[in-house]
Every structure is written in C-alpha cells, then in structure tokens.
Amino acid sequence: MNIPKTSYPRIVIIGGGFAGVALAKKLSKQEVQVVLLDKHNYHTFQPLLYQVSTGGLEPDSIAYPIRKILKDFPNFFFRLANVQEIDTKKNKVKTNIGNLKFDYLVIASGSTTNYFGNAEIEKHSMAMKTIPQSLNLRSLILENFEDALLTSDLHERNALMNFVIVGGGPTGVELAGALAEIKKGILPKDYPDLDTRSAQIHVVQSGDCILKGMSSMASQKAEDFLEKLGVNIWKNVRVTNYDGKTVTTNTDLIFETPTLIWAAGVKGATIKGLDGEDFVTKGNRILVNEFSQVRGLKNIFAVGDIACMETKDFPQGFPMMAQPAIQQGQQLGDNLLNVIEKRPMKPFTYKDKGSMATIGRNKAVVDLEKWKFQGIFAWYVWMFVHLFFLIGYRNRMVVFVNWVYNYVRFDREARLIIRPFKKRNTL
Ligand SMILES: Cc1cc2nc3c(=O)[nH]c(=O)nc-3n(C[C@H](O)[C@H](O)[C@H](O)COP(=O)(O)OP(=O)(O)OC[C@H]3O[C@@H](n4cnc5c(N)ncnc54)[C@H](O)[C@@H]3O)c2cc1C
C-alpha cells in the first residue's frame, strides 16, 4: 500500500463515514500515523440521498472527497480499498490492494440494507444506501414514466406508476413525501399526455405508526402531512415477498409494481474476521464496551452504526444515526490518545441532540429534548441543520441554491436518466 514506516503508532480506520471522519479529524494533529481505508474516495451525506433519488439534488453535492477533508494533516494517509478481512491475531487488515499492519484498528464501516434474509426481495427491490443506488432509483422512477407513456395496456401503465416504499422510518417518509410532490408539481408538466393522477405512492409499515423512533406527536403529524399529499399509508402490514412484479404481504393486500423501495432496516456492515458470534450481537453489530473497545480485543475498536454499545438508557445500542457516530468517533480520538499516553480511557456519554424528518415543502417534524414542533418552522430548522452538517462550502452553497430554486420554481431539475437502470423484469 506504500504507507511509509514511522516511529508513531499506526491507527488504521476502516470507513470514511460520519464516525471515521470525526475520528480522523480528532487525530489529525497528533503524534500518530492515521491510515483511512474506504471503498469509495468520497464521504456520503446519507440523510440527503432521497433528494438525489428524486431529482432534487445532484449527487456531487452530497458527496465530498475524503482526501480533501484531511488534506492539510500530516501523517494522514488515505487508500481507496475494500477491506476484506481482519486478522486480529497478526494485527493486520487484508484488502483488495494489499495487506496492512496496525497498532490500533478502528472499524467504522457503517451499515448495510437489511432484507431480513429474504433473497427474492433483495434481488428485486431497490435500496437507497449509497449514491450509485440513489442514481439507480432516480433512473428507474423516470424510466417508469417513459414506459408508461408508451404502453397502451392500462394495467401495465398503472403498475409502472405505482411506487411501494417498505418502511415508515425517516427514509421511507421523506422519500414518499418527495415522490408525492413530484406527482403533484412536476409530472403533469413533464407528461401532459399521460394521466399522472393514477400514480400511487404507498408506504407499508409493519408497526402501528410511522416515525416510530420519534414522539407520537411527530408521528401523527407526519402521517397527516403524508395523507394530505395523497400518500397511502398501510400500517400493521408486513411485506412477505416480491418477485419484481408483485408485492405480497401478510394480509390480502398486494401491489403490482416494478418499483419496490426497501427502506425497512439496516444491519451492521461486518467484515470477515470480526463477523463471528464472539463479536457480533443484535442487528449484526459489533459488541463494544463503553470505550468502544471490541470484546476481548484491547487494540481494536468499533464506532458508529457498526458498533453496538449497550447502556442502561440504550439497551439495544445507540440509534444508527449520524450523531452517535460523530460523537463516538470524536470520543474515541481522545481515548486512543489516552491509551497511547498511558492515561485511563473515559467512558462514552451520548448527548441526544434530537431528531427530525421532512415530509415536503413547509412540512417537517422536529423533536428536541424539551421542545417538539412541526410545520414550516420545523422545515426551516431541518434545512439549516442539514446545511450545517454537510461537508464543504461548495456543497453547502450548491444545496442551498438548489433548495431556493426548487422552492421558488416548484421544480427539481436533476430529473435526468444519465445512467439508465436496467430493469431485471418487465411487467
Ligand atoms: C437514506 C438514509 C437516510 C438517513 N437519514 C438520516 C438522518 O436524517 N439523520 C441521521 O442522523 N441519520 C440518518 N441516516 C443514518 C446515518 O447516515 C448513519 O447512521 C451514519 O451514516 C452512520 O455513520 P457511520 O460512520 O457509522 O457509517 P457510514 O456513514 O455509513 O460510513 C461507513 C463507511 O465505511 C465504508 N465501508 C464499509 N465497508 C467497508 C469495507 N469493507 N472496506 C472499506 N470501506 C468500507 C463505506 O464506504 C462508508 O464510507 C440515514 C441513512 C440513510 C441510508
């Protein structure tokens, strides 16, 4: 990998997501060598992926080069590498570009879509966890309307304009709201010769409410917002299978659609060597102690979505969200320096900064510790927070300008089929 030898301890970080980048920044000016490995050369701002899928933002504006984030830091090395295995005995990671020894290893590999073992659904549905997947979804949505325009078969046309989203968490809710706004504001202009009123957006949720992790007030308001936008919400319904054409559920409800979007859950993105039952717990996450240390391993740590740190308040581990990942990354930076300088480590404490979701124009829900609010003010807060956490001035400017433009013009100009998505099934 051409990483120079040094007298400094070498800390290898797997993953340049929220946790990995927060950690690397903390270690940037210290007497350590930091090697960050990621299979992408960019950091992805996942909370805005749904805007890429629905043509509201260009993909580049929610991605940022990892090398640039850490460009001014001495002793920092980035390698574009897919880590395939961790050898905990030899303190070595194996990657597609070679092997690398470490003194300390931090796994910050995040999470991956959880299909709960259903291979058919995995094969035929659309996920939205990465930028390429979001671009696939964008293409498929637009291709469906192009195909709907061509077919004279009414059943096929309706199916092509049917969108089924599985999962009523923030991702499912935000995507449904954006699709509903496209249906209302953009499709009639783009496809005047197609009866786009038949387009249907369905959210299927196995539980009895949407936005389960938020307050009941936020959940109810989000449901009202979505219903006003014409989204069909199916609660207490579980999708059981999908063959690329028909979605079956545990009830009589079935949907005909070439587009099933799976937003029903994620699981830890484990790596061979640390994926056995000695290390992995609920949600396929790596069990760590209050110092983010992997069970039984003194020099190997895990932070962010991949890590399950069970506490009294969070017996299932911290929510798989950006804030716990950032805070764990930062805290581990301090703790690694404590270890190297032979000081005691400090246990992780989580500061819950609240949660929020946007449903559409002037419609968002925000839960803070002491204040819960919904509607237009919540929507401004949502936008401000997302702009604040985006990495890079250019990205912030581009996103801001796009949002103002979209707001004023009722538009989403990135509705482009740049890289056609090959459907595996035709109806
Ligand atoms: C669609 C969507 C919307 C979301 N919305 C919100 C939201 O509104 N608010 C919120 O707080 N959270 C949201 N989240 C969750 C949030 O994005 C995650 O909790 C957060 O990204 C976790 O950070 P992380 O650093 O643990 O992992 P990630 O940010 O996922 O980063 C993991 C990194 O590891 C790399 N990697 C993985 N495996 C390997 C390997 N084997 N070799 C090399 N590199 C590897 C990946 O390429 C990636 O860059 C959303 C997530 C999604 C998917």
Side-chain angles (χ1 to χ4, degrees):
M1 282 198 204
N2 280 338
I3 307 285
K5 286 212 168 87
T6 162
S7 55
Y8 292 154
R10 177 182 290 162
I11 300 172
V12 172
I13 305 170
I14 306 172
F18 287 102
V21 165
L23 169 64
K25 279 182 172 171
K26 265 275 171 176
L27 295 171
S28 57
K29 292 187 182 123
Q30 307 299 330
E31 295 191 336
V32 291
Q33 183 188 60
V34 179
V35 183
L36 200 155
L37 308 171
D38 199 301
K39 55 187 168 188
H40 300 120
N41 77 338
Y42 54 85
H43 166 87
T44 304
F45 192 78
Q46 294 176 14
L48 292 179
L49 280 174
Y50 84 97
Q51 297 222 354
V52 171
S53 302
T54 52
L57 290 175
E58 293 85 2
D60 314 37
S61 58
I62 66 157
Y64 199 81
I66 293 175
R67 287 183 182 282
K68 193 168 171 192
I69 301 174
L70 299 149
K71 72 177 172 17
D72 295 328
F73 303 149
N75 307 325
F76 171 78
F77 298 86
F78 173 75
R79 292 292 180 267
L80 184 61
N82 190 347
V83 180
Q84 293 156 337
E85 195 175 340
I86 298 162
D87 188 334
T88 54
K89 298 219 165 64
K90 294 188 179 148
N91 288 338
K92 191 164 74 176
V93 291
K94 299 181 184 173
T95 82
N96 62 324
I97 58 161
N99 301 340
L100 185 67
K101 291 270 245 173
F102 58 81
D103 296 304
Y104 300 93
L105 175 70
V106 181
I107 303 144
S109 51
S111 54
T112 174
T113 307
N114 191 355
Y115 298 95
F116 303 97
N118 191 319
E120 274 255 288
I121 293 180
E122 179 169 358
K123 185 170 168 203
H124 298 292
S125 67
M126 305 296 289
M128 202 181 59
K129 193 78 183 77
T130 63
I131 289 178
Q133 285 173 345
S134 296
L135 286 175
N136 284 344
L137 183 54
R138 183 176 86 180
S139 294
L140 179 61
I141 292 167
L142 297 169
E143 283 166 39
N144 284 349
F145 286 103
E146 297 301 328
D147 290 348
L149 201 55
L150 299 180
T151 180
S152 48
D153 179 334
L154 185 64
H155 175 77
E156 184 182 0
R157 191 185 307 147
N158 285 340
L160 282 161
M161 295 194 291
N162 224 0
F163 297 92
V164 180
I165 300 164
V166 189
T171 302
V173 164
E174 294 185 338
L175 188 61
L179 284 172
E181 288 195 331
I182 290 177
K183 174 184 167 182
K184 198 169 132 211
I186 290 172
L187 295 181
K189 287 187 241 156
D190 272 9
Y191 301 94
D193 37 356
L194 182 68
D195 185 3
T196 51
R197 286 171 305 176
S198 329
Q200 292 294 323
I201 297 128
H202 303 278
V203 174
V204 184
Q205 161 70 3
S206 60
D208 58 3
C209 66
I210 58 170
L211 297 183
K212 202 175 78 193
M214 295 186 72
S215 64
S216 53
M217 216 194 295
S219 163
Q220 188 52 53
K221 196 70 190 174
E223 198 173 323
D224 295 347
F225 282 147
L226 281 179
E227 275 170 0
K228 252 192 210 137
L229 285 169
V231 173
N232 308 295
I233 303 172
W234 305 97
K235 291 185 283 189
N236 296 311
V237 176
R238 198 165 42 79
V239 167
T240 48
N241 211 359
Y242 178 54
D243 61 3
K245 298 177 193 171
T246 310
V247 185
T248 53
T249 69
N250 63 335
T251 69
D252 292 342
L253 200 62
I254 58 164
F255 303 95
E256 297 290 333
T257 178
T259 320
L260 179 83
I261 303 149
W262 190 256
V266 288
K267 60 179 181 177
T270 46
I271 297 169
K272 194 174 163 199
L274 271 184
D275 55 349
E277 56 187 29
D278 286 351
F279 304 110
V280 172
T281 177
K282 308 166 200 100
N284 204 41
R285 298 167 89 185
I286 297 175
L287 186 63
V288 296
N289 63 15
E290 69 271 39
F291 309 115
S292 298
Q293 221 162 14
V294 176
R295 181 162 56 185
L297 301 171
K298 284 216 152 13
N299 63 337
I300 302 188
F301 301 79
V303 281
D305 278 6
I306 184 70
C308 182
M309 187 188 285
E310 296 170 355
T311 64
K312 199 163 122 297
D313 292 340
F314 294 91
Q316 310 292 322
F318 291 103
M320 291 159 99
M321 288 170 67
Q323 270 306 319
I326 293 169
Q327 293 178 32
Q328 283 181 350
Q330 289 170 339
Q331 166 95 30
L332 181 58
D334 292 336
N335 270 338
L336 280 170
L337 297 173
N338 285 339
V339 173
I340 290 164
E341 285 158 23
K342 307 215 175 341
R343 293 188 300 256
M345 288 192 283
K346 289 197 184 120
F348 176 71
T349 47
Y350 174 52
K351 176 146 183 28
D352 187 353
K353 296 189 175 166
S355 48
M356 55 184 75
T358 183
I359 294 89
R361 191 185 182 80
N362 298 338
K363 298 179 188 70
V365 291
V366 174
D367 282 357
L368 301 180
E369 195 187 346
K370 293 194 178 130
W371 189 27
K372 301 181 186 356
F373 50 102
Q374 304 90 29
I376 186 163
F377 181 62
W379 189 64
Y380 284 121
V381 170
W382 179 91
M383 283 194 293
F384 175 78
V385 168
H386 282 72
L387 281 176
F388 182 79
F389 280 102
L390 257 177
I391 298 183
Y393 294 113
R394 180 190 162 276
N395 282 357
R396 284 185 200 142
M397 284 302 295
V398 172
V399 169
F400 179 69
V401 168
N402 263 288
W403 283 349
V404 171
Y405 180 86
N406 294 349
Y407 189 76
V408 175
R409 305 274 303 173
F410 286 84
D411 208 352
R412 285 167 180 266
E413 279 202 351
R415 46 186 195 278
L416 311 164
I417 307 171
I418 301 253
R419 191 188 60 179
F421 177 69
K422 279 237 165 303
K423 274 175 247 163
R424 285 152 295 209
N425 289 281
T426 45
L427 284 157

